[in-house]
Amino acid sequence: MDRLLASWTAVVLLFLYLPIGVLVAYSFNASRLNIRWTGFTFRWYAELWHNEPILRALQNSLIVAAGATAISVALGTAGAWLLHRYRYRFSGTIQSLLCAPMIMPEIVMGISLLVFFACLGLQLGFLTVIIAHVTFCFPFVLVAVQARLHGLDPALEEAALDLGARPWQAFWLVIVPCLRPAILAGGLMAFTLSMDELIVTFFTAGPASATLPLRIFGMAKIGLNPMLNALSAIFVVATVAAVLGFERIRRRA
């Protein structure tokens, strides 16, 4: 039975990661057609860093992801604490409404946000993209922080208040350090989702605020481009580094 489970696990992992391995390997392929292996080269990485549209789109993605992550962490942490600390009449309904963007189809969210911004008269740009990304990112932070709050000892806050701390001091100096792993996990999830988002960004971005997924999608529609492999390989390395870094921070915490 153990061998069967180990074999099944190996098959699943192979199915998940073999395409990524092939993609990373072919990012070093000298062939422009990217169909057969013709030799090893760093040419596509060099051309990638000299491609002005891609670098500009990467800069836009980082700006949007940083802004959306910062706002999502603040809103998600505050919302989780308020729902945990206080009891509202319709707290269950509020919880469901806050988590609805996590399961709502992206095409519906993108169109609804586009109509909403048009009604407000907002010009599509960085502001609209950040607002749109916060809409579906902060519930992930809220859920992660809520899970941590449920396992938190309420005596910690009571002890801080008994020792003379004000409520905001007890929250900032006692509760927030205990929530740091959950906040980091939610922030990492929000940053990853924002960097990866395509459909919602397609409806809410302007010409000057096009992100990297939009640029990649436009390049992929034209045909296979070796620079896409190189760019994807960089994303894979960056994701692995972020996960390892978070795991190290979590263990220290």
Side-chain angles (χ1 to χ4, degrees):
M1 187 63 181
D2 292 339
R3 291 184 178 181
L4 179 61
L5 292 176
S7 301
W8 175 251
T9 303
V11 171
V12 172
L13 293 176
L14 185 65
F15 175 78
L16 291 175
Y17 291 103
L18 182 60
I20 298 177
V22 172
L23 182 145
V24 174
Y26 269 78
S27 67
F28 301 100
N29 185 15
S31 174
R32 178 174 288 275
L33 297 178
N34 211 18
I35 298 176
R36 60 188 181 89
W37 183 269
T38 60
F40 186 88
T41 183
F42 288 102
R43 173 187 174 185
W44 312 121
Y45 288 91
E47 290 189 8
L48 182 65
W49 292 114
H50 291 86
N51 191 304
E52 186 64 28
I54 289 181
L55 294 179
R56 191 182 306 112
L58 175 60
Q59 182 181 4
N60 293 343
S61 291
L62 292 175
I63 292 173
V64 171
T69 301
I71 299 174
S72 298
V73 167
L75 291 178
T77 304
W81 172 248
L82 291 175
L83 290 174
H84 176 78
R85 184 66 175 79
Y86 303 99
R87 291 293 178 264
Y88 303 96
R89 183 177 181 182
F90 302 103
S91 59
T93 303
I94 295 174
Q95 176 77 31
S96 301
L97 292 175
L98 289 175
C99 296
M102 300 174 63
I103 59 176
M104 184 178 297
E106 294 180 347
I107 187 72
V108 175
M109 183 178 295
I111 295 175
S112 62
L113 287 170
L114 177 61
V115 174
F116 176 71
F117 294 144
C119 293
L120 294 180
L122 288 178
Q123 186 177 1
L124 297 183
F126 284 105
L127 178 61
T128 56
V129 178
I130 292 176
I131 293 175
H133 284 205
V134 170
T135 303
F136 63 83
C137 283
F138 93 89
F140 289 90
V141 182
L142 186 143
V143 170
V145 175
Q146 275 188 325
R148 177 64 175 169
L149 283 171
H150 287 313
L152 198 64
D153 187 357
L156 294 174
E157 183 188 9
E158 296 175 1
L161 295 175
D162 290 340
L163 293 173
R166 297 181 179 180
W168 68 268
Q169 290 177 322
F171 174 75
W172 183 254
L173 299 177
V174 178
I175 302 301
V176 170
C178 296
L179 299 178
R180 190 175 300 152
I183 294 174
L184 290 175
L188 180 61
M189 177 66 72
F191 186 85
T192 304
L193 290 172
S194 180
M195 287 290 295
D196 183 60
E197 180 54 42
L198 171 65
I199 299 177
V200 175
T201 309
F202 179 82
F203 287 99
T204 58
S209 58
T211 59
L212 191 58
L214 290 178
R215 178 65 60 181
I216 293 175
F217 180 69
M219 294 173 62
K221 289 195 300 182
I222 298 175
L224 293 176
N225 192 321
M227 284 191 294
L228 294 180
N229 294 344
L231 186 60
S232 301
I234 293 174
F235 264 86
V236 170
V237 173
T239 302
V240 172
V243 172
L244 293 178
F246 167 73
E247 183 65 19
R248 185 175 181 180
I249 295 174
R250 187 188 66 82
R251 289 183 177 180
R252 287 185 176 181

